[in-house]
Amino acid sequence: MRSELKRIRLFVFLAALLCLFAWACVAPTFADTAFDSGVKQFSQGNYQQALTAFATAESGGKRDANIYYYQALCNQQMKNYAKARQLFEYVRSRFPSSDAAILAEQALGVSRAAKTDAQPAAPPQSGPEETTIPFSRYPSGSHVYVKVLVNGEAVTMMLDTGASYTTFPQSVLNSAGIKLKTVKNAMRMMGVGGESAVSVGRVMIQFGEICQPVAICIQDDTIPGAAPETPLLGQSFLSAFNYEINYRTSTVKIWRIKPEAVQKPKHGVASHSRDVNVVPFAREGNLMIVTAKVNGRECEMIFDTGAANVNFSDKSLAALGVNVPINSRRQLSTGVGGNREGYGFAIDEVQLGSVVRNRVRASMASYSSISKPLLGYSFLEGTVFVVDNEASVLRFSP
């Protein structure tokens, strides 16, 4: 009888051990499946469903940095800012050496020296603080194209003050042989063409003699028209510098500003400054917002060297009381998120500070979700200006 009881107890113990072993094998797979489902839901903009999937993955035993980073992003998109900040802080304190921690610090506005895989170390403080390089306007004739080194590989990029982030099509990275660790579908970007999910990674960019580590967004461009063909050198790089863009000599000069100046709030200068060549700007996220006059009417606009024309959404154009002329030509507006159909025409007058332009090339993108009109090359052509990020002003040369 006792031996039979021992055999029963041994059988129960082994069965329990087997179930525990099976759960240990199945749980990570279950958690990973739930996590992948959450990423998919996030990329489609279904943030509440994504949070549910991430909670399921967490209950299944997944505890890495990415799951909490994605939860923070979901809360941020749902405007639960306090919860998002709490999760970003958790990621950077609990997983300090992870890529997600670097991205969380960027979201929190915290600066730190960073290194990436397969890239040179950040330059010492005694390195060059100022450099000037030429730019070209080929092939479009209106954009600023600069040649830089990305993780040591030569890449041509468009200098785009209207891009919140430095952005690469995946095909460009592939062609240059640049391989990165990325967080897939880590955020959603808004542009003229609409909204799209992007992955995030980190690179070292060498601009002339100056090197700067930068978090970049990576777009899947396997679908034709889904992303711009040229990488964008955006505000995630530019905001660390003061810089001069000279359309007369086709040169860009940058010089490094103090780290604390990048982090402090950008209030700009008083709008009643007597120097008409000095124009204040504010920040909307990473974007530079200036107050221009369109046909004599004040209009907040995004200062955008990446826009070929002065670009409006249909709503922003209607708000100014401007009608698209009957003889306007149909055209496509291309940007982050793809293409938008619209019309090209001319605005009678646009003014920013001392710069006044008449019969300015303009375009309207139908159903575009851009927050404000874009002040682009058709207005800036022939100008010389300095972007002073420390004083939050533009300084135009006469």
Side-chain angles (χ1 to χ4, degrees):
M1 183 68 179
R2 289 181 178 179
S3 61
E4 183 67 23
L5 184 60
K6 286 181 179 180
R7 282 196 297 271
I8 292 173
R9 287 176 177 173
L10 179 61
F11 175 78
V12 171
F13 173 74
L14 291 175
L17 187 63
L18 182 62
C19 289
L20 183 62
F21 177 75
W23 170 250
C25 294
V26 171
T29 302
F30 169 75
D32 288 343
T33 300
F35 176 77
D36 292 342
S37 175
V39 172
K40 182 177 180 180
Q41 292 291 342
F42 177 84
S43 69
Q44 295 173 350
N46 302 323
Y47 305 119
Q48 187 57 60
Q49 293 92 323
L51 281 174
T52 301
F54 292 136
T56 302
E58 188 177 4
S59 66
K62 194 172 183 67
R63 295 288 192 276
D64 66 16
N66 289 340
I67 192 170
Y68 300 110
Y69 178 70
Y70 272 112
Q71 288 175 339
L73 290 175
C74 287
N75 279 281
Q76 186 179 57
Q77 293 290 338
M78 296 169 67
K79 299 184 179 180
N80 300 327
Y81 298 120
K83 182 63 174 178
R85 173 171 284 275
Q86 181 184 19
L87 286 163
F88 282 135
E89 291 284 7
Y90 180 76
V91 170
R92 65 185 293 257
S93 62
R94 178 68 177 79
F95 308 94
S97 61
S98 68
D99 284 346
I102 300 295
L103 301 172
E105 290 182 349
Q106 186 177 45
L108 292 167
V110 177
S111 179
R112 77 171 178 180
K115 297 182 180 181
T116 67
D117 295 332
Q119 71 177 31
Q125 293 300 314
S126 59
E129 296 297 308
E130 179 182 308
T131 190
T132 302
I133 67 172
F135 69 79
S136 67
R137 290 202 291 271
Y138 176 83
S140 70
S142 56
H143 299 129
V144 175
Y145 295 98
V146 293
K147 291 183 178 181
V148 300
L149 296 180
V150 180
N151 286 4
E153 302 294 335
V155 176
T156 297
M157 304 187 69
M158 182 194 302
L159 193 155
D160 188 353
T161 61
S164 294
Y165 302 97
T166 297
T167 306
F168 286 80
Q170 182 64 60
S171 62
V172 171
L173 296 175
N174 293 344
S175 297
I178 300 171
K179 297 181 179 181
L180 306 173
K181 290 182 178 179
T182 63
V183 180
K184 294 183 178 179
N185 296 322
M187 59 185 293
R188 297 181 70 83
M189 288 182 62
M190 185 73 68
V192 171
E195 189 175 0
S196 65
V198 295
S199 301
V200 179
R202 289 180 291 135
V203 297
M204 179 69 76
I205 293 180
Q206 182 174 338
F207 186 104
E209 298 177 337
I210 292 181
C211 292
Q212 179 73 13
V214 182
I216 65 169
C217 295
I218 304 165
Q219 289 187 285
D220 181 0
D221 58 341
T222 54
I223 302 173
E229 296 178 358
T230 306
L232 307 178
L233 190 65
Q235 289 294 341
S236 56
F237 174 87
L238 296 171
S239 61
F241 305 94
N242 294 328
Y243 51 98
E244 177 190 78
I245 298 179
N246 190 328
Y247 283 103
R248 300 170 191 169
T249 61
S250 296
T251 56
V252 180
K253 174 183 177 182
I254 68 171
W255 56 100
R256 198 180 296 278
I257 61 179
K258 298 177 182 178
E260 58 269 23
V262 181
Q263 302 301 327
K264 70 181 181 181
K266 307 295 194 300
H267 297 297
V269 298
S271 59
H272 59 267
S273 171
R274 293 183 180 180
D275 189 346
V276 294
N277 293 309
V278 178
V279 178
F281 66 83
R283 290 282 182 181
E284 186 176 281
N286 286 342
L287 298 175
M288 299 166 57
I289 308 299
V290 295
T291 300
K293 288 185 178 180
V294 178
N295 291 346
R297 189 168 178 174
E298 285 195 349
C299 176
E300 288 191 342
M301 308 184 78
I302 298 170
F303 191 79
D304 190 356
T305 60
N309 301 319
V310 176
N311 189 286
F312 299 89
S313 67
D314 40 11
K315 291 181 180 179
S316 63
L317 197 63
L320 283 168
V322 177
N323 295 318
V324 176
I326 296 175
N327 61 347
S328 299
R329 66 188 184 281
R330 293 180 65 86
Q331 65 178 36
L332 284 178
S333 293
T334 302
V336 171
N339 301 321
R340 278 285 186 273
E341 289 190 357
Y343 297 90
F345 53 97
I347 292 289
D348 290 338
E349 183 181 274
V350 181
Q351 178 179 357
L352 181 67
S354 60
V355 183
V356 181
R357 297 281 190 261
N358 300 112
R359 302 297 297 169
V360 181
R361 293 192 315 278
S363 56
M364 184 274 287
S366 301
Y367 307 109
S368 173
S369 54
I370 56 174
S371 61
K372 290 177 173 62
L374 311 179
L375 190 65
Y377 175 74
S378 61
F379 176 84
L380 297 172
E381 182 178 5
T383 61
V384 179
F385 58 86
V386 169
V387 177
D388 186 338
N389 276 312
E390 291 174 281
S392 294
V393 296
L394 300 168
R395 304 183 192 277
F396 285 92
S397 297

